[in-house]
Amino acid sequence: MRKDLHEANRLSWNAATIAHNSHKGDQAAFFRNGGSTLFPEELELLGDVAGLSLLHLQCNAGQDSLSLARLGADVTGVDISDEAIAFARRLSDESGIPARFEREDLFTWLEQAARDRRLFDRVFTSYGTICWLSDLDRWASGLAGVLKPGGRFAFIEFHPFAMVFNEQWQPHYDYFRSAPVEEDGVGDYVAQSGDGLTPGASEVGVVDFRNPHRSYEFYWGVGDVVSALIRAGLILERMVEFPYANGWRGFDGMRDIGGRRMAPPESMPRIPLMYGLVANQRSSAHVTVDHGVGGPDQDPR
């Protein structure tokens, strides 16, 4: 585990979070008016959360956490970024949607929560999360340690296959990278994605953001994730892949195919850009693998 790199990422995220939220307009008003930042794919994986305790790991600035709380969940959000948690707490107060937010390194938080026997009906994490984690086995065992018997872990993430390409869709990066990769810092992907990641009023905000803090990413394949969850004793119930990315315009020429789902240019073959899974604490389960079930622009064959 590389907590030194986690700490570097905390500083980078603190700077980036300010830039990200500068583009999103009056978010409190957006929520007071009934807004939600959730996508249908997340809700399908989570199931009905009304009346359930829900742990949102790497919750960022709390927008999805508050959207889940509005659905009736008792939400606890955890993130390493001071700026993100401070913003989430303000947004909760100003929107009138109750949720608790706690700042801590993920591994430290999970270990302490397990010692304190803090258990949850649902654990949720989404989009650009595991690339910041230096130890997947510790992550998976931590999840297992805070799930109630019969509890569900719902996970949705950008597909690691897509990360083989550079922004011009040229194969460039090794899928099987094993060492952490040093980057220029967390970028302003919200500005890059435009209205894809600003479902409320969009503003120009910070222009030409340059992060003063370096960041470090860890690359995990689908097999790494699934195997870590199985080793932790969780049962994989479902896995699904999608030929689009929710909200994120990470590559040249990405087009909105409806519902802020971003797909490659029409000239390209469809590839997996996102995947999700459900794992639980039941005594038995079976694995089903879908390819883009429930989404638009899909080949029915």
Side-chain angles (χ1 to χ4, degrees):
M1 185 171 58
R2 294 295 305 273
K3 281 201 172 182
D4 58 327
L5 302 188
H6 295 183
E7 176 62 15
N9 289 338
R10 180 182 70 85
L11 299 175
S12 195
W13 271 104
N14 281 346
T17 296
I18 296 172
H20 296 169
N21 283 310
S22 75
H23 306 297
K24 296 182 180 181
D26 188 343
Q27 296 184 65
F30 171 73
F31 280 107
R32 287 195 300 268
N33 292 328
S36 173
T37 57
L38 298 171
F39 287 90
E41 293 83 0
E42 300 147 33
L43 296 173
E44 183 182 2
L45 293 170
L46 277 164
D48 184 6
V49 299
L52 301 182
S53 57
L54 188 149
L55 173 63
H56 186 187
L57 295 175
Q58 296 169 274
C59 66
N60 199 275
Q63 293 91 347
D64 286 356
S65 304
L66 296 180
S67 298
L68 292 164
R70 168 162 279 148
L71 295 176
D74 179 13
V75 175
T76 298
V78 178
D79 199 273
I80 196 172
S81 167
D82 314 79
E83 287 288 344
I85 291 299
F87 187 94
R89 289 169 176 166
R90 290 196 303 272
L91 189 57
S92 176
D93 290 341
E94 293 172 6
S95 66
I97 304 173
R100 66 186 63 82
F101 292 98
E102 303 178 16
R103 195 223 70 81
E104 187 55 88
D105 178 274
L106 180 67
F107 296 134
T108 301
W109 192 94
L110 287 170
E111 290 164 2
Q112 185 60 53
R115 287 193 293 268
D116 294 341
R117 298 299 297 159
R118 296 178 67 179
L119 299 177
F120 298 85
D121 298 300
R122 296 284 189 275
V123 177
F124 174 60
T125 188
S126 62
Y127 308 115
T129 54
I130 59 170
C131 63
W132 307 108
L133 303 179
S134 59
D135 188 332
L136 273 197
D137 280 319
R138 190 180 293 261
W139 168 75
S141 63
L143 299 175
V146 296
L147 271 173
K148 290 181 180 179
R152 176 185 300 183
F153 171 55
F155 175 71
I156 192 163
E157 181 59 281
F158 300 120
H159 205 292
F161 177 71
M163 304 310 162
V164 169
F165 300 96
N166 62 19
E167 291 183 358
Q168 293 73 45
W169 294 107
Q170 298 301 313
H172 184 76
Y173 302 102
D174 188 350
Y175 183 92
F176 297 99
R177 286 167 280 184
S178 57
V181 176
E182 184 176 2
E183 303 282 0
D184 290 336
V186 180
D188 193 357
Y189 55 80
V190 176
Q192 178 187 19
S193 298
D195 59 1
L197 292 175
T198 52
S202 179
E203 296 183 356
V204 174
V206 174
V207 177
D208 295 330
F209 172 71
R210 296 292 182 270
N211 202 314
H213 302 286
R214 306 287 287 178
S215 60
Y216 300 84
E217 297 185 25
F218 307 85
Y219 288 85
W220 306 107
V222 174
D224 296 322
V225 174
V226 170
S227 296
L229 294 172
I230 291 172
R231 285 193 294 268
L234 296 176
I235 307 300
L236 185 65
E237 182 179 273
R238 184 183 181 207
M239 181 174 170
V240 56
E241 297 175 288
F242 303 93
Y244 52 82
N246 281 341
W248 178 53
R249 286 188 172 96
F251 304 93
D252 289 351
M254 292 190 79
R255 55 198 172 93
D256 190 335
I257 57 175
R260 296 186 292 124
R261 296 177 172 101
M262 306 302 169
E266 290 184 350
S267 59
M268 283 183 58
R270 294 189 307 156
I271 62 173
L273 293 183
M274 191 171 72
Y275 73 108
L277 60 81
V278 171
N280 58 42
Q281 293 278 33
R282 293 183 300 180
S283 59
S284 63
H286 66 280
V287 177
T288 59
V289 180
D290 302 321
H291 296 275
V293 172
D297 193 31
Q298 294 177 23
D299 187 337
R301 291 175 294 175

